[in-house]
Amino acid sequence: MTIKDTLLYLGKATLFGLIMAAIFLLVTRYFDNQSLGNNLLQTRANNTVELSFAKAVRRAAPAVVNIYSLSIDQTRPLNSGSLQGLGSGVIMSKEGYILTNYHVIKKADEIVVALQDGRKFTSEVVGFDPETDLSVLKIEGDNLPIVPVNLESPPQVGDVVLAIGNPYNLGQTITQGIISATGRNGLSSGYLDFLQTDAAINAGNSGGALIDTNGSLIGINTAAFQVGEEGGGHGINFAIPIKLAHSIMNKLIKNGRVIRGALGISGEPINPVVAQILNLPDLKGVLITGIDPNGPAARAQLMPRDVIIKYDDEDVPGVEMLMDRIAETTPGEKVMMTVIRQGKQQELPVIIDEKVVVDN
C-alpha cells in the first residue's frame, strides 16, 4: 500500500468518524429536549437550565379572578360598602362567563370580580348548581383574559399540576403538586368524579384554577379534606374535573339551571352474598334498597330487592353508571327498565321525573 493509499484510507475513516459523532450529538440533543419538555426549561443568564412552570402560569393566571362580596350595612345603607374576600373564579370566554364554586357566592348580595390587571366588575349570577357546587357569573368587559382549556386529555395519577387562587385574600398565589387520585366520588350530594391533589387548596382558593404544566385548565378547585374542626392541611385536596364543569357551565348558560332526570330510588352494588340470595347470574346491576312512594319507580311498580340490570337497553354495571344515565335523561321521557325479580327477568316502562334540587 502506497503512502497515498494510506492517507486516503485514514482520511475516509476520519471523515466517517466525524459524521457519526455529529449524528450522535444531534440525536442526543433531540431526545434530551424531548424528555425534559421545552415548556419546563428556562435558560438563565449563566447558561444553566432550570425546571420552571413560569410559562404555564403566564398562560393561565391572568384569567383567574378574585371574587368579593360587597357588604352593605343595612342600618346605614347610604354608606359605601366594604369588600369581603370570598374566593376565586376562572374567566372561560370572551363573553365574560366565569366559573366558580356555588359555595363561594351562595350568601353574597352583590358580587365584585377583580382581575389581575386591576380592573373590577360587578357581576351577575347566570345560574348555579348545588349538586356539583358550581356557579356561573358574567361580567361585561373588553379584552378579557381567557384560560386555555383541556377537554380532550383527562388527567392521570402522577401528573404535575398547579393550583391558582386567592388564599386567605392574600392575593393571587400558585401552589404545585401532583394528581394523587382520580374518580374520588361520594364527597358531595351527587356522584362526582373529583380529582385529588396534594397542591395546597386553602380558604379563598375555592373556585380557582387547577392547571397542567402547559397552562391548560383541567379542574376547578373546590375543597380541602378536613377532620372534624381542625381544617385542612393534610395534603388531600379536591377539584372538579373540567369536562364535568364545562358541561355544567353550558347548561347553566343555556337554562339558568341544570335539568336532571329522577327515578326515585336508592340502590347499592351487588355483592357475592346478595347475588347468591337473589339467584343472580353475576355481580352486575343495582339492587333497589328504597323507593320514593311518589316517584316514577313507584308508579312503574318497581319494588325493593329488584335488581336493575338494563337501563334503556344498556347494561348497568354499577350504581355510578345508572345514576349518571338517570340524571342525563330528559324529564318526561319513557325508558325501559330490565329488572330481575325473584330470579325472573322482566321489563318495566318508566316515565322519568325531573329531579328536585335541594339548596342546603
Side-chain angles (χ1 to χ4, degrees):
M1 179 181 293
T2 65
I3 294 177
K4 181 179 180 181
D5 292 335
T6 302
L7 291 175
L8 183 61
Y9 174 81
L10 292 174
K12 289 180 178 179
T14 302
L15 180 61
F16 178 79
L18 291 173
I19 292 173
M20 292 303 296
I23 293 174
F24 177 79
L25 288 174
L26 289 173
V27 171
T28 301
R29 179 171 294 181
Y30 173 81
F31 281 108
D32 282 345
N33 288 339
Q34 291 296 311
S35 62
L36 290 174
N38 290 330
N39 63 315
L40 302 183
L41 294 179
Q42 299 289 334
T43 302
R44 305 303 183 186
N46 59 0
N47 292 324
T48 60
V49 178
E50 299 179 2
L51 184 66
S52 174
F53 302 106
K55 184 176 179 181
V57 172
R58 285 196 300 270
R59 291 189 70 202
V64 181
V65 301
N66 301 339
I67 296 178
Y68 300 92
S69 171
L70 182 61
S71 301
I72 304 295
D73 186 348
Q74 297 301 322
T75 62
R76 305 172 65 186
L78 297 181
N79 286 11
S80 59
S82 60
L83 291 178
Q84 178 182 358
L86 296 178
S88 306
V90 185
I91 302 176
M92 301 295 293
S93 71
K94 63 181 180 180
E95 291 80 17
Y97 289 111
I98 297 173
L99 256 178
T100 186
N101 287 139
Y102 172 57
H103 76 260
V104 167
I105 56 94
K106 180 178 179 180
K107 297 181 180 180
D109 295 324
E110 188 171 353
I111 301 167
V112 175
V113 172
L115 273 62
Q116 303 309 313
D117 60 13
R119 289 183 289 174
K120 292 184 175 65
F121 300 90
T122 299
S123 69
E124 64 172 306
V125 178
V126 175
F128 54 83
D129 182 46
E131 290 277 332
T132 53
D133 192 24
L134 287 169
S135 180
V136 174
L137 309 177
K138 191 175 190 302
I139 59 176
E140 300 290 341
D142 298 325
N143 300 317
L144 297 174
I146 303 169
V147 70
V149 177
N150 181 1
L151 296 176
E152 303 302 325
S153 303
Q156 300 182 39
V157 174
D159 285 353
V160 174
V161 292
L162 307 171
I164 309 177
N166 180 24
Y168 303 108
N169 202 25
L170 293 173
Q172 189 174 88
T173 303
I174 317 295
T175 55
Q176 179 259 329
I178 64 168
I179 295 292
S180 307
T182 59
R184 293 298 199 210
N185 54 30
L187 301 169
S188 73
S189 58
Y191 289 87
L192 294 182
D193 291 330
F194 280 102
L195 301 174
Q196 181 182 326
T197 176
D198 62 347
I201 297 176
N202 299 301
N205 277 104
S206 293
L210 188 71
I211 65 171
D212 61 21
T213 53
N214 291 315
S216 297
L217 183 68
I218 62 171
I220 300 296
N221 300 325
T222 296
F225 181 75
Q226 297 186 11
V227 178
E229 300 296 326
E230 67 182 29
H234 300 281
I236 303 175
N237 306 294
F238 302 99
I240 302 169
I242 188 54
K243 194 168 185 179
L244 171 62
H246 197 269
S247 173
I248 295 296
M249 179 187 72
N250 289 335
K251 292 176 181 178
L252 291 175
I253 292 173
K254 181 179 180 181
N255 300 312
R257 61 192 178 97
V258 178
I259 300 173
R260 294 181 175 87
L263 182 58
I265 66 165
S266 57
E268 61 183 36
I270 307 298
N271 59 51
V273 175
V274 170
Q276 185 174 4
I277 293 173
L278 299 180
N279 192 26
L280 303 177
D282 51 44
L283 301 182
K284 295 179 180 178
V286 173
L287 173 66
I288 297 178
T289 56
I291 292 184
D292 177 359
N294 300 314
R299 293 195 297 269
Q301 299 183 342
L302 285 166
M303 301 171 60
R305 294 173 64 91
D306 284 351
V307 176
I308 302 173
I309 59 172
K310 285 190 177 183
Y311 183 84
D312 218 15
D313 292 328
E314 185 178 2
D315 290 339
V316 176
V319 175
E320 286 80 9
M321 175 270 185
L322 177 62
M323 294 304 181
D324 283 343
R325 295 296 179 272
I326 294 170
E328 292 164 1
T329 303
T330 304
E333 184 178 337
K334 179 190 288 187
V335 297
M336 294 301 299
M337 309 280 291
T338 303
V339 303
I340 295 178
R341 178 181 296 171
Q342 297 179 350
K344 297 181 180 179
Q345 185 172 309
Q346 56 182 289
E347 292 188 348
L348 297 170
V350 183
I351 297 178
I352 299 297
D353 279 356
E354 181 177 346
K355 185 174 183 178
V356 178
V357 177
V358 179
D359 183 6
N360 296 320

